[in-house]
Amino acid sequence: MRPTITALVLTYNGERLLDRCLGSLAFCDRILVVDSFSTDTTVAIAQAAGAEVLQRKWEGPGPQFAFALEKISDGWIVSLDQDEICSEELRDSILAATAADSGKAGYWIPRRSWYFDRFLKHSGWYPDHLLRLFRAGRMRVEVSGAHYSFHPDGETGTLTGDILHYPYESFRQHLDKVNDYAQKGADDLRAKGKRGGLCAGLCHGAGRFIRIYIIKRGFLDGRAGFINAIHGAFYAFLKHLRIEEGDWGRPFEHK
């Protein structure tokens, strides 16, 4: 018999795409949603899709995944974010890989991300391979700033078919996330003893733009590629500038 497949989705106010996300995972034997006390219809959508819903206060991706993975004792795990959809081609690849019982610890999956008016094909955004299919107990989670990644314990393979990613619904939402990620990244670098400031911010910002737009050929993604490169440069600028916040002036101490 084929080993069981559990779909794992962490959520918080994810009503925008959650029905599409969970619907694309209907082939799994079990869908586990770990919610961080959403205030929208996220929980109702998950329950309507037949998911098992657990709630836990958000303390970062590391603790949240640790809590979730304790609830999955065996078989395979497919992990998607609430703004991601499993394509039909990927579904077929997952079913074939898990049925083959190759002994691999996990599989890397390409992800296509929509930005502004298209799926980006360049800019360092594609194929963006992520370890999102893995055996229970044979993977560890690593966190850096606001970002997390899975790392396998054993041999891996690569699947065909894409995760379809819709990270933003507006420029404002992207800028809000840039601001949030930059702060978390700055806090992380500061804790590691890194130095920052204006010059560091300008250098890293310029370097990030060159990397995205020139080296990663973001110019081939048209207007979307240019806008994305600008946002990426601004993120790097803010992250390294904020390592050294200064005191922002205290009028009551000035004469």
Side-chain angles (χ1 to χ4, degrees), residues 6-228:
T6 299
L8 173 60
V9 183
L10 305 188
T11 61
Y12 178 69
N13 289 349
E15 64 182 5
R16 177 171 68 103
L17 286 173
L18 188 59
D19 58 338
R20 297 281 303 277
C21 173
L22 299 183
S24 72
L25 295 169
F27 66 93
C28 296
D29 302 290
R30 176 191 180 201
I31 299 178
L32 175 61
V33 169
V34 178
D35 181 70
S36 303
F37 295 99
S38 293
T39 57
D40 62 4
T41 61
T42 292
V43 171
I45 292 170
Q47 291 172 336
E52 176 186 348
V53 181
L54 302 177
Q55 289 190 299
R56 183 184 186 277
K57 179 182 177 181
W58 180 260
E59 297 175 334
Q64 205 75 348
F65 273 112
F67 170 82
L69 293 170
E70 287 178 354
K71 313 302 179 184
I72 309 171
S73 59
D74 55 20
W76 289 89
I77 300 171
V78 180
S79 177
L80 291 188
D81 291 341
Q82 63 186 11
D83 56 6
E84 296 174 340
I85 297 168
C86 178
S87 66
E88 294 183 1
E89 183 182 359
L90 176 56
R91 175 200 63 201
D92 295 341
S93 293
I94 290 172
L95 290 172
T98 54
D101 193 22
S102 63
K104 288 183 168 58
Y107 289 88
W108 299 91
I109 299 173
R111 181 172 70 170
R112 267 193 293 159
S113 294
W114 184 270
Y115 189 83
F116 185 40
D117 61 354
R118 69 191 69 193
F119 282 114
L120 296 183
K121 297 180 180 179
H122 309 281
S123 305
W125 278 41
Y126 189 79
D128 189 23
H129 283 102
L130 303 169
L131 189 80
R132 293 298 191 84
L133 174 66
F134 46 85
R135 293 181 188 269
R138 296 187 62 183
M139 176 279 308
R140 69 182 188 277
V141 182
E142 292 187 0
V143 178
S144 177
H147 302 278
Y148 73 89
S149 56
F150 295 126
H151 297 267
D153 178 18
E155 185 181 355
T156 61
T158 302
L159 299 183
T160 58
D162 296 334
I163 294 172
L164 306 180
H165 186 210
Y166 297 86
Y168 313 113
E169 56 183 335
S170 65
F171 288 133
R172 177 175 179 173
Q173 188 183 61
H174 188 189
L175 191 57
D176 287 344
K177 187 162 285 189
V178 163
N179 186 40
D180 181 54
Y181 280 12
Q183 188 62 52
K184 291 175 180 176
D187 293 342
D188 187 55
L189 291 174
R190 190 185 306 111
K192 294 176 180 176
K194 301 294 185 181
R195 299 295 299 273
L198 180 59
C199 289
L202 289 171
C203 290
H204 282 278
R208 182 73 171 240
F209 180 86
I210 292 170
R211 181 175 183 274
I212 295 172
Y213 197 66
I214 305 299
I215 298 175
K216 296 296 184 178
R217 300 189 298 171
F219 61 89
L220 295 177
D221 285 319
R223 291 183 300 167
F226 180 77
I227 295 167
N228 175 58

